[in-house]
Amino acid sequence: MNELVSISHHADIAVVTISNPPVNALGPGVPEGIQSCIATAAADPGVSAIVVMGGGRTFIAGADIREFGKVVSGEKPRRSLLPFLLEIEDCAKPVVMAIHGTAFGGGLEVAMAGHYRVIAPAALVGQPEVKLGIIPGAAGTQRLPRLAGVAKAVEMCAFGEPMGAQEALALGIVDRIIEGDLTAGAVAFAREVAGHPPPKTRERTAKLRDADAEIFDRARQQARKTRRGQNAPLAAIEAVEAATKLPFEAGCAREAELFDECLYSTQSRALMHAFFAERAVSKIPDVPKDTPVSEIRRAAVIGAGTMGAGITMNYANAGIPVIVKETEQEALDRGMANIRRNYANTVKKGKLSQAGMDQRLDLITPRLTYDGFENADIIAEAVFEGMALKKQVFAEIDRIARPECILASNTSYLDVDEIASVTNRPEMVLGHHYFSPANVMRLLEIVRGRATSKAALATSMALAKRMNKIGVLAGNARGFIGNRMLGPYLREAQFLVEEGASVEDVNGALYDFGMAMGPLAMSDLAGLDVGWRARREFKHLEKPGVRVPLVADRLCEMGRYGQKTGRGWSRYDENRQASHDPETAALIEQVAREAGIGRRAILHQEIVERCIFALVNEGARVLGEGVALRASDIDVVYLNGYAFPAWRGGPMFYADAVGLGTVLARIQEWSACHGEDLWSPAPLLVELARSGGTFSGFDKRREVAG
Ligand code: 3HC
Ligand code: NAI
């Protein structure tokens, strides 16, 4: 017993309760506390069985992830949970684990070391360690196949998805679902099993006989495809395979070896960084936790195009009634048809019920007028990109909307303050910049204007959460965080083809780096015309004499807008499969010749470095200027909005891992060769590289400074 784990008595049943908020992670003191409580109860003649449960909102969400960093840095020794779990399993009195909330990672491993498991109907179990770049390290890969069977254990350990109570019961991971009061149900269950010899999970072998080489082959293939580049899923498969070939103790030893290989890897550091980055992102230093959040009961969206339709679905998905307005019936019908088709596809995939779809559609009201806008708590604008139109729309809605109504623009690049200036409530105006497809992508940049109120920001953050999005605060600078950084990245990709790399080289190098798709493939997907229009709008900002990419505009002039027209940087068949386009290749050569650009063979390493370091350099500027609050926020933007490989932690974490000195040296070389206008190193990068600092160190310094 200690301050984290206590014991109480329900007649002859001892109830051991863990109280380590917020998620009862197995931090220092928790395993020891459980151990000592179980030992006390085991020695107490008045106790016939023991229940272990979590106090507060959950059972045990796993090992304390913060401790891993200390182990890797050598600050703390690695301490195995295995002996502690064996002691639970060897307890002579039945130990019943009572699960509510989540039993994740080490939490499920503790539960499986108990003799029985009961569960609340809404609880989840899982081995999500792979999402942190590690594998279960406390015999999860050895006990789970003994309970759930080999195929399911491989799936759970390699892919990390949680499982609900019903499925866990059907598979034998848990023994009973307790409706109603969990403590009472668990105590009653414990009384039923008291006096019987407690079954030990590690001694069960029946389900291990299901092992079949094909299970592992299939899982490896799937991991190579869906977790491309990641080591942990393959290690997890190997560890479960070991359970089917080795006795329990030897299997645990193999698991421990594989665990250590994963733990001491950059991938796990990157993924753990991503975990904490995602949780830090909603904290805005000057917006206190208790800032009043207004309730969003009704919403309205203007524009039912690509983005407006997706944004409308986001509101409906969150259960918020929403009006969507267009100017013409045809556009409105098209938008609604897209929404219906989207939902119908989700139903077809089995991810939504027909009733669920109907319910969501019922929440959406299509309109050609502003009728009903006077009741909205938030109005989201998603009309064409253009300052004049945005101002006209904001002036109109400002007249109609309630004074407390938030007005959010989905603009990609425009100045939110200028948009706000036409309203009488600049404090309620901000950017809600979604990413396409808006109903799928989890990122939402919340753009803070000069006058935006703290309440509007706090409400937006809460709304993002309600929509199951990740809200990231961005300053009001052209392109905000993500698109601003994308500019130099795409610029370099285009320069590289002009200088001699093929389209396939550029796409392939970044795909191999881990990006979901190469930069030119991404441009083809988004539509080359989007950038073409933006370049025309911002032409006046181009500095004379500074090199700009030349090919994309020429492609657009030829009507080649990318996938939507079947041709862009690549050629696309009816299934949108890309192939080499000799015409593009010829055009690139011609453009380079006309511009006097020398062509040469370019290595993949140069392609990756020029594109990614361009991203990093602009990221350093964004951070230095305060457009992003933290380097880790930038990583969250790139991981969730641009499919940057999670196991590389995001561009800023990646730069730290490469070493800022190396990044700076390369940028300085390019600056000498391609000119300072293109490659002047960001002041913050220079400062950190010279002082031996890192972006994550910069974040820590800022956090301490408040
Ligand atoms: N260790 C340390 N801190 C943790 C944690 C953990 N395992 N899980 C959550 N936290 C912290 C979060 O950082 C956050 O802290 P903050 O308030 O200071 O930002 C706080 O707990 C609340 O977390 P969330 O904001 O994520 O709360 P939610 O209610 O949205 O989600 C959760 C709860 C589903 C438990 C989610 O936090 C989660 O998935 N946690 C990670 C679970 C996990 O990966 N477990 C495996 C750990 S590795 C392991 O067990 C190894 C073993 O095999 C030996
Ligand atoms: P879109 O062209 O698909 O849709 C715009 C819609 O707005 C059209 O259907 C049009 O009829 C409608 N519209 C125009 N004026 C209107 C008015 N006064 N009232 C009601 N409806 C009106 O454009 P898209 O791609 O959806 O872009 C919308 C906004 O979102 C732009 O600001 C764009 O920069 C931004 N954005 C676009 C992304 C993308 O990938 N397409 C990603 C993130 C932001």
Side-chain angles (χ1 to χ4, degrees), residues 64-85:
D64 187 331
I65 302 166
R66 287 166 306 189
E67 295 292 304
F68 291 127
K70 297 178 192 160
V71 170
V72 171
S73 68
E75 189 185 329
K76 279 195 164 178
R78 165 144 146 68
R79 209 175 45 121
S80 170
L81 290 171
L82 286 175
F84 147 71
L85 298 189

Side-chain angles (χ1 to χ4, degrees), residues 22-23 25 57 61-66 68 81 102 104-106 109 128-129 132 134-138 259 275-276 279 283:
V23 292
R57 64 200 240 204
D64 187 331
I65 302 166
R66 287 166 306 189
F68 291 127
L81 290 171
T102 51
F104 279 175
E109 289 170 308
E129 287 90 340
L132 300 168
I134 53 175
I135 66 168
F259 179 90
F275 177 86
F276 287 114
R279 277 147 188 90
K283 295 169 185 132

Side-chain angles (χ1 to χ4, degrees), residues 93-108:
K93 293 177 185 170
V95 178
V96 178
M97 301 289 175
I99 300 167
H100 75 296
T102 51
F104 279 175
L108 181 56

